[in-house]
Amino acid sequence: MTSAILVEAAQLEASVRAALEGAGASAQSVDATTRALMHASRVGVDSHGVRLVPHYCKVMAGGRVNPRPDVTARRTAAATGTVDGDHGLGHLTSYRAAEFAVELARESGIGAVGAIRSSHLGAAGAYAMAIAEAGMIGFATTNTDSVVGLFDGTRAFHGTNPLAFAAPVAGDKPWLLDMATSSIPMNRVLLYRSLGQMLPAGVAADPQGLATRDPKEADMLLPLGGEGYGFKGAALAGVATLLTGILNGTTLDPDFIPMVGDVDVSTPRNMGHFFLAIDPERFAGAAVFADGMRRYLDALRAVPPVDGGRVMAPGDREWDVEARRAQEGIPVDPDTAAFLGLRGAPQDAA
Amino acid sequence: MTSAILVEAAQLEASVRAALEGAGASAQSVDATTRALMHASRVGVDSHGVRLVPHYCKVMAGGRVNPRPDVTARRTAAATGTVDGDHGLGHLTSYRAAEFAVELARESGIGAVGAIRSSHLGAAGAYAMAIAEAGMIGFATTNTDSVVGLFDGTRAFHGTNPLAFAAPVAGDKPWLLDMATSSIPMNRVLLYRSLGQMLPAGVAADPQGLATRDPKEADMLLPLGGEGYGFKGAALAGVATLLTGILNGTTLDPDFIPMVGDVDVSTPRNMGHFFLAIDPERFAGAAVFADGMRRYLDALRAVPPVDGGRVMAPGDREWDVEARRAQEGIPVDPDTAAFLGLRGAPQDAA
């Protein structure tokens, strides 16, 4: 196993932009994808960070993803709309849809936007966070290809189907939850595979449905809640499918061409997403919201931790990682570093 | 331990109505609370069913809950509104808010309604289901008093904070998820206590934060996701708090007077809830939605189960229980049966 290398954020961002430009992506596509990937890599969601650049370049070259899409937004009612991604990179479509949801919510109190003809969006939290940065509660979700088993099922059915929520915190970083409805995302399995590390127990199963800790054997993830309560994780994955594939009339989880592997990379996958923005101004008001958020976070962080533990609000871990990486650099795995031409970068072990 | 008795639905409903009327509840309050409790008892969510009638009568007598509230709805934007429950029974406020969300969504594509000055609403799924029965995707949530620990925390912080989703299925019962963000709800602990049964492992902790299976020792629940991934369950509980207590400016989980126990039953708790209705007509259309739902459910139910298991969609278990109870009657625990004057009902063991 080769160590990851640490790369300064600005240098990494420039190399990501260069790779995407080199693959023929439009300026808007490069901006959006770089923004989403750098968000993930900065806050420690490495499974959804710059590691994905080679994949995106490959699917743009193959024709699955349109490098120069004409993304269009259509309002369908006072508070709803659809963004058609024209099979471009999902990040561009998703930021556009998140902005549209904010516009609708500014006028109508809440905005809900479905995205169609999109593709992999990276970390869903990037878009929930964009909504929170506009002062609203943000929600983003997507369905993805079948890699997670059902409760009592012997076959992968749902995608890891993330649910991402974010909310503004006055004078501080947002409250941010970006969770797969499996215990871990498949991209994390791929990262463990690339790093040669063993998986935690009870998070993945082999092709026969038996639990395994070997990332090379892992063929299927297990839903959040484990052996006793995995029906909850499976149902939450279903919520993502309801709000994306079913509501938008886009591809259902079991019908997706797999994201990775020895698969067709020339056919668009018609992925759907869903975004919500909720304006606190139309409920108890932004000031009451800010005060409640502050009291909530203060009370939460005042709970005494178990020995050796730390009580954290969603996002706390991410902002800690972000601060550390701003100092130390962002770890990049060897394959991605080679792809981005970062072989000569500082070799401090991650 | 005394066995539960089985009571025919119409008889049970009449006795619930009579008890609530006897406690002075208004006709609208009686209708709404009976509807919500009978929903829960019919589909097997006994922790949130008719078992709660004595509690509601007690808090109406004490003054915590207003038996004859003047519930008012106010629109705040094209797609948002607030329902003021006037400290009445939460079921009345919640059905009114769910209907309001549907009205807003019919016009604006989506409707979001916050409820303020409300009280315990029973099973949140009842309101998500009311929205699904109107042809829309429904979401309902509430925060409640602190009974669930944080990840790595030594003290209860969040309520069981349910997330309930429902969606229409053409020609069939709705897709229905009504889940606590703990592995089990506190009311289930109370039911186990009343029935003298042991709890499943890893779902509850004693006052020192140590896991216990004895429902009499259980002082705190553990969040969904267990030892490894409980931070996800805790974060989902936080989503409920964000959308209810914080967004509505109502009581935060740690500030609630406890629902039950030797506590003040004269002071209103100012509980907040949140309801969403999403109209499929403003996305890909109702026909596309119905087709997607059907294909999704068919594919899900076609997944081969593990030995002795059964692959189910959310709600399947509930509709099975409902069909069986329509034949056999609804089990009522001895304390509740005595309160409702059902001591003379058929004594077949549940």
Side-chain angles (χ1 to χ4, degrees), chain A residues 28 71 125 155 199 202 208 237 248 287 291 306 315 326:
Chain A
Q28 284 190 320
V71 177
R155 228 184 257 160
L199 295 166
Q208 287 72 47
N248 291 314
D291 172 66
V306 298

Side-chain angles (χ1 to χ4, degrees), chain A residues 24-172:
Chain A
S26 65
Q28 284 190 320
S29 300
V30 171
D31 286 350
T33 301
T34 303
R35 179 181 172 193
L37 295 180
M38 288 302 297
H39 158 77
S41 281
R42 255 194 287 261
V43 302
V45 186
D46 293 323
S47 54
H48 289 68
V50 300
R51 188 184 71 77
L52 294 170
V53 174
H55 168 76
Y56 295 137
C57 291
K58 178 180 171 184
V59 293
M60 283 193 283
R64 172 192 286 183
V65 168
N66 178 358
R68 312 188 73 80
D70 179 21
V71 177
T72 51
R74 186 171 63 89
R75 190 169 187 169
T76 58
T80 51
T82 301
V83 169
D84 181 333
D86 194 20
H87 302 303
L89 287 159
H91 324 83
L92 177 60
T93 303
S94 297
Y95 277 122
R96 182 68 196 89
E99 284 158 20
F100 192 17
V102 168
E103 290 162 26
L104 293 169
R106 196 80 69 196
E107 187 179 318
S108 302
I110 184 169
V113 176
I116 63 172
R117 301 205 310 156
S118 187
S119 66
H120 191 257
L121 53 57
Y127 317 104
M129 196 170 137
I131 296 167
E133 285 169 348
M136 301 190 184
I137 298 177
F139 170 63
T141 189
T142 187
N143 69 337
T144 58
D145 46 297
S146 298
V147 289
V148 185
L150 293 162
F151 192 68
D152 276 357
T154 56
R155 228 184 257 160
F157 184 76
H158 287 118
T160 46
N161 297 7
L163 303 176
F165 292 88
V169 179
D172 212 335

Side-chain angles (χ1 to χ4, degrees), chain B residues 222-316:
Chain B
L222 295 173
L224 176 68
E227 246 187 306
Y229 299 94
F231 60 91
K232 295 195 179 191
L236 289 172
V239 168
T241 304
L242 271 176
L243 294 174
T244 59
I246 300 175
L247 188 62
N248 291 314
T250 50
T251 309
L252 298 180
D253 313 27
D255 299 334
F256 276 115
I257 299 162
M259 178 180 176
V260 295
D262 183 19
V263 295
D264 170 9
V265 292
S266 63
T267 307
R269 301 204 297 159
N270 188 22
M271 187 171 279
H273 321 305
F274 182 79
F275 305 88
L276 268 187
I278 301 170
D279 188 357
E281 206 52 74
R282 305 301 185 131
F283 292 85
V288 170
F289 185 82
D291 172 66
M293 203 71 202
R294 176 49 57 201
R295 285 186 296 117
Y296 171 76
L297 291 172
D298 286 350
L300 185 149
R301 296 190 181 114
V303 171
V306 298
D307 280 350
R310 179 180 157 207
V311 172
M312 286 186 285
D316 285 358

Side-chain angles (χ1 to χ4, degrees), chain B residues 87-299:
Chain B
H87 301 304
L89 286 159
H91 322 85
L92 176 60
T93 303
S94 297
Y95 276 122
R96 182 68 196 88
E99 283 158 21
F100 192 17
V102 168
E103 290 161 26
L104 293 169
R106 195 81 70 197
E107 187 180 317
S108 302
I110 185 170
V113 175
I116 63 171
R117 301 207 309 156
S118 188
S119 65
H120 191 256
L121 54 58
Y127 316 104
M129 197 170 134
I131 296 167
E133 285 169 347
M136 300 189 184
I137 297 177
F139 170 63
T141 189
T142 187
N143 68 337
T144 57
D145 46 298
S146 298
V147 289
V148 185
L150 293 162
F151 192 68
D152 275 358
T154 56
R155 229 183 258 160
F157 184 77
H158 286 118
T160 46
N161 296 9
L163 304 176
F165 292 88
V169 179
D172 213 336
K173 290 281 190 178
W175 186 102
L176 174 63
L177 168 66
D178 184 0
M179 58 169 265
T181 48
S182 52
S183 292
I184 63 170
M186 200 66 191
N187 282 330
R188 183 110 16 111
V189 174
L190 301 180
L191 183 69
Y192 275 85
R193 215 179 266 179
S194 157
L195 296 174
Q197 293 174 359
M198 293 296 277
L199 295 165
V203 304
D206 68 16
Q208 286 72 48
L210 302 172
T212 180
R213 293 196 55 196
D214 182 345
K216 292 191 301 297
E217 280 186 2
D219 182 65
M220 166 163 74
L221 298 168
L222 295 173
L224 176 68
E227 246 187 306
Y229 299 94
F231 60 91
K232 295 195 179 191
L236 289 172
V239 168
T241 304
L242 271 176
L243 294 174
T244 59
I246 300 175
L247 188 62
N248 291 314
T250 50
T251 309
L252 298 180
D253 313 27
D255 299 334
F256 276 115
I257 299 162
M259 178 180 176
V260 295
D262 183 19
V263 295
D264 170 9
V265 292
S266 63
T267 307
R269 301 204 297 159
N270 188 22
M271 187 171 279
H273 321 305
F274 182 79
F275 305 88
L276 268 187
I278 301 170
D279 188 357
E281 206 52 74
R282 305 301 185 131
F283 292 85
V288 170
F289 185 82
D291 172 66
M293 203 71 202
R294 176 49 57 201
R295 285 186 296 117
Y296 171 76
L297 291 172
D298 286 350

Side-chain angles (χ1 to χ4, degrees), chain A residues 47-331:
Chain A
S47 54
H48 289 68
V50 300
R51 188 184 71 77
L52 294 170
V53 174
H55 168 76
Y56 295 137
C57 291
K58 178 180 171 184
V59 293
M60 283 193 283
R64 172 192 286 183
V65 168
N66 178 358
R68 312 188 73 80
D70 179 21
V71 177
T72 51
R74 186 171 63 89
R75 190 169 187 169
T76 58
T80 51
T82 301
V83 169
D84 181 333
D86 194 20
H87 302 303
L89 287 159
H91 324 83
L92 177 60
T93 303
S94 297
Y95 277 122
R96 182 68 196 89
E99 284 158 20
F100 192 17
V102 168
E103 290 162 26
L104 293 169
R106 196 80 69 196
E107 187 179 318
S108 302
I110 184 169
V113 176
I116 63 172
R117 301 205 310 156
S118 187
S119 66
H120 191 257
L121 53 57
Y127 317 104
M129 196 170 137
I131 296 167
E133 285 169 348
M136 301 190 184
I137 298 177
F139 170 63
T141 189
T142 187
N143 69 337
T144 58
D145 46 297
S146 298
V147 289
V148 185
L150 293 162
F151 192 68
D152 276 357
T154 56
R155 228 184 257 160
F157 184 76
H158 287 118
T160 46
N161 297 7
L163 303 176
F165 292 88
V169 179
D172 212 335
K173 290 281 189 178
W175 186 102
L176 174 63
L177 168 66
D178 184 0
M179 60 170 262
T181 47
S182 52
S183 292
I184 62 170
M186 199 66 191
N187 281 332
R188 183 111 16 112
V189 174
L190 301 180
L191 183 69
Y192 273 84
R193 216 179 267 180
S194 158
L195 296 174
Q197 294 174 359
M198 294 297 278
L199 295 166
V203 303
D206 67 17
Q208 287 72 47
L210 302 172
T212 180
R213 292 196 56 195
D214 182 344
K216 292 192 300 297
E217 279 185 5
D219 183 65
M220 166 164 78
L221 298 167
L222 295 173
L224 177 67
E227 248 187 307
Y229 299 94
F231 60 91
K232 296 195 180 191
L236 289 172
V239 168
T241 304
L242 271 177
L243 293 173
T244 59
I246 299 175
L247 188 62
N248 291 314
T250 50
T251 310
L252 299 180
D253 313 27
D255 299 333
F256 276 115
I257 299 162
M259 179 181 175
V260 294
D262 184 18
V263 295
D264 170 9
V265 293
S266 63
T267 307
R269 300 204 297 159
N270 188 22
M271 186 172 277
H273 321 305
F274 182 79
F275 305 88
L276 268 187
I278 301 171
D279 188 357
E281 206 51 74
R282 305 302 185 130
F283 292 87
V288 170
F289 185 83
D291 172 66
M293 202 72 202
R294 176 49 58 203
R295 287 187 293 116
Y296 171 76
L297 290 172
D298 287 350
L300 185 151
R301 295 192 180 113
V303 171
V306 298
D307 279 350
R310 179 180 158 206
V311 173
M312 286 186 284
D316 285 359
R317 185 188 301 272
E318 283 79 358
W319 311 133
D320 280 4
V321 172
E322 186 179 49
R324 194 172 66 244
R325 291 187 173 186
Q327 295 295 318
E328 299 175 358
I330 294 170

